[in-house]
């Protein structure tokens, strides 16, 4: 296999990106994903999912998502914006691309046939990365792999060009079925995996919580300092009151920017993954009772009272063995597929890219 100098190993961000060979390739691989951890045995909590249009406070309507969930706050990556930016930028390191300095995309050939640069540009949307070169590399590698699979289909007597023309994805799937054989994990292997990763098989803790939110925009530093001081004052006021429960409820109804104030600040049962990370990371470390310090989030300061806390439950091997078996089977299949792709790449003449056929950069995960 002839290769050139396009090597993402020179960039520190490459290993942080996990991508598929190609959407169409991975979609036909028979690997149903299964979570290795156990399902939460407790019921979830909506945690104010529909509160975003109900908040009113002194700073206007800019702060509206109190007790936000990850769903509320996720900001999807703009693929189109990324593509336009990647295509518009000058390359920062020309030696990593085979294309001339006037080109935005590399010149890559497989057995003398060039990978269409328009296709590379279109493929970029499926491979978001932290920098342009990593994205271009992953997109280009995916197209090279697809070309290798196409050539393998043409060479396979039971498939040939007719199968490719009739249904490309089905042809790839049949090719893989015929050439990729993974080792099925036995009981001993599964049990060993469970023992080595036993903490992964524990249900998440759940908490019953109420809170008072003193809301403030993240960029308003002076106001945040004032609200932090006020939050500590409220905590002392609640602690020193003869009836702390009644005092908490009264302050929540009077000052909280969350719609939960109508219920005295009660949020009900909360499990992991239902609130923003910076709030959750502190919340699940708290003991039962009024938190001694306010919890800061992008929405302001939360005075938190943990009404109840239930620790996670350790799942037995018998409960999680199907998930473990499925996970290890997937890993074995993925590795076998990578080995097969490496064989195809090694037998072909590839110029313009150094292939890195490893699970972390072949599969989206």
């Amino acid at each position: 296999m002839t290769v050139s100098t396009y090597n993402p190993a020179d960039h520190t961000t490459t290993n942080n990106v996990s991508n598929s060979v190609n959407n169409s390739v991975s979609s036909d691989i028979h690997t149903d994903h299964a979570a290795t951890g156990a399902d939460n045995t407790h019921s979830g909590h909506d945690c104010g999912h529909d509160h975003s249009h109900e908040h009113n406070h002194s700073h206007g309507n800019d702060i509206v998502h109190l007790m936000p969930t990850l769903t509320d706050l996720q900001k999807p990556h703009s693929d189109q914006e990324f593509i336009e930016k990647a295509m518009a930028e000058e390359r920062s390191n020309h030696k990593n691309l085979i294309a001339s300095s006037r080109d935005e995309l590399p010149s890559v050939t497989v057995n003398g046939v060039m990978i269409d640069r328009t296709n590379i540009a279109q493929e970029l949307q499926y491979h978001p990365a932290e920098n342009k070169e990593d994205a271009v590399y992953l997109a280009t590698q995916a197209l090279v792999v697809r070309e290798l699979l196409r050539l393998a289909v043409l060479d396979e007597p039971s498939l040939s060009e007719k199968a490719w023309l009739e249904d490309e994805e089905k042809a790839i799937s049949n090719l893989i079925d015929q050439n990729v054989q993974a080792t099925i994990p036995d009981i001993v292997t599964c049990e060993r995996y469970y023992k080595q990763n036993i903490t992964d098989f524990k249900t998440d803790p759940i908490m019953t919580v109420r809170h008072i939110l003193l809301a403030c925009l993240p960029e308003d530093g002076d106001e945040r300092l004032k609200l932090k001081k006020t939050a500590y004052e409220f905590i002392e006021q609640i602690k020193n009151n003869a009836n702390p429960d009644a005092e908490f409820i009264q302050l929540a109804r009077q000052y909280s920017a969350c719609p939960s104030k109508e219920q005295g600040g009660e949020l009900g049962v909360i499990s992991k993954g239902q609130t923003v990370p910076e709030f959750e990371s502190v919340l699940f470390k708290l003991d039962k009772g009024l938190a001694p310090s306010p919890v800061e989030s992008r929405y302001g300061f939360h005075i938190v009272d943990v009404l109840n806390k239930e620790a996670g439950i350790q799942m037995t091997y018998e409960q999680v063995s199907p998930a473990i078996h499925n996970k290890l089977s997937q890993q074995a299949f993925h590795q076998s597929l990578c080995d097969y792709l490496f064989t195809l790449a090694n037998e072909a003449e590839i110029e313009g890219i150094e292939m890195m056929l490893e699970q972390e950069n072949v599969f989206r995960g």
Side-chain angles (χ1 to χ4, degrees):
M1 176 175 67
T2 305
V3 299
S4 188
T5 57
Y6 191 105
N7 184 0
D10 295 333
H11 307 288
T12 60
T13 58
T14 299
N15 291 331
N16 295 329
V17 183
S18 177
N19 292 274
S20 62
V21 173
N22 182 278
N23 279 1
S24 58
V25 176
S26 60
S27 65
D28 288 294
I29 297 173
H30 308 303
T31 55
D32 295 328
H33 293 280
T36 60
D39 292 334
N40 197 322
T41 58
H42 302 282
S43 60
H45 173 63
D46 184 69
C47 196
H49 290 191
D50 296 321
H51 292 171
S52 61
H53 300 293
E54 299 176 23
H55 301 178
N56 294 296
H57 50 82
S58 60
H59 294 281
N61 293 325
D62 291 327
I63 309 172
V64 293
H65 302 292
L66 190 57
M67 265 336 290
T69 65
L70 290 179
T71 301
D72 297 327
L73 296 171
Q74 282 175 340
K75 296 181 179 179
H77 177 74
S78 172
D79 293 327
Q80 186 59 40
E81 179 182 353
F82 180 82
I83 294 171
E84 292 175 355
K85 180 179 179 181
M87 295 296 291
E89 290 177 348
E90 286 292 333
R91 289 192 309 275
S92 60
N93 190 348
H94 291 218
K95 70 184 179 66
N96 290 318
L97 298 177
I98 296 302
S100 70
S101 61
R102 294 188 301 274
D103 294 324
E104 290 291 340
L105 295 169
S107 299
V108 177
T109 62
V110 179
N111 289 349
V113 178
M114 179 176 288
I115 300 297
D116 193 318
R117 291 175 183 167
T118 300
N119 291 342
I120 295 176
Q122 294 174 344
E123 183 71 16
L124 276 172
Q125 63 185 304
Y126 304 113
H127 307 275
E130 293 187 12
N131 61 59
K132 173 190 169 182
E133 289 186 343
D134 287 344
V136 170
Y137 173 82
L138 293 165
T140 306
Q141 176 172 261
L143 293 176
V144 170
V145 167
R146 186 170 182 82
E147 177 63 15
L148 292 173
L149 291 170
R150 186 186 73 85
L151 295 174
V153 168
L154 300 186
D155 290 340
E156 181 64 48
S158 63
L159 296 173
S160 72
E161 186 176 8
K162 180 181 178 181
W164 183 264
L165 294 175
E166 288 179 351
D167 190 328
E168 296 177 6
E169 309 313 323
K170 182 178 179 181
I172 290 174
S173 180
N174 290 337
L175 177 73
I176 291 172
D177 286 343
Q178 294 179 34
N179 291 276
V180 177
Q181 301 296 325
T183 302
I184 303 300
D186 56 23
I187 295 178
V188 174
T189 301
C190 292
E191 289 179 340
R192 181 169 61 249
Y193 182 88
Y194 173 76
K195 292 176 182 178
Q196 292 174 344
N197 301 275
I198 192 167
T199 57
D200 292 341
F201 303 103
K202 189 174 183 179
T203 62
D204 290 333
I206 60 172
M207 305 178 76
T208 304
V209 177
R210 63 184 176 186
H211 81 142
I212 301 168
L213 173 69
L214 304 180
C216 182
L217 292 171
E219 61 270 20
D220 195 342
D222 292 338
E223 182 65 16
R224 285 206 161 224
L225 289 175
K226 294 178 182 178
L227 287 181
K228 185 175 184 179
K229 180 180 178 181
T230 301
Y232 273 107
E233 291 173 352
F234 281 177
I235 291 173
E236 290 301 313
Q237 188 173 329
I238 294 168
K239 286 168 56 179
N240 297 328
N241 193 280
N243 190 341
D245 286 338
E247 184 68 10
F248 190 102
I249 293 171
Q250 179 60 34
L251 290 174
R253 288 176 175 171
Q254 186 174 356
Y255 296 103
S256 183
C258 179
S260 64
K261 67 181 182 180
E262 301 301 329
Q263 291 77 44
E266 289 196 20
L267 297 167
V269 178
I270 296 177
S271 59
K272 286 187 175 181
Q274 290 187 308
T275 64
V276 290
E278 69 269 21
F279 183 84
E280 179 180 288
S281 64
V282 178
L283 177 64
F284 282 90
K285 295 177 183 178
L286 297 176
D287 295 324
K288 185 177 178 180
L290 182 66
S293 303
V295 178
E296 184 175 6
S297 77
R298 66 195 73 179
Y299 295 99
F301 290 91
H302 306 256
I303 299 168
V304 178
D305 188 12
V306 179
L307 303 176
N308 189 39
K309 183 176 183 179
E310 296 181 24
I313 300 172
Q314 180 65 55
M315 307 294 284
T316 65
Y317 171 75
E318 288 71 23
Q319 290 173 305
V320 298
S321 59
I324 293 176
H325 185 273
N326 191 48
K327 177 181 177 65
L328 297 183
S329 296
Q330 280 189 49
Q331 289 180 345
F333 178 84
H334 287 174
Q335 186 57 58
S336 296
L337 178 57
C338 285
D339 292 342
Y340 176 61
L341 295 176
F342 178 82
T343 299
L344 295 180
N346 199 45
E347 293 174 349
E349 184 177 350
I350 301 173
E351 297 182 352
I353 185 173
E354 181 177 349
M355 302 291 283
M356 295 183 64
L357 299 171
E358 301 173 357
Q359 289 195 42
E360 56 266 28
N361 63 42
V362 168
F363 296 97
R364 189 178 300 276

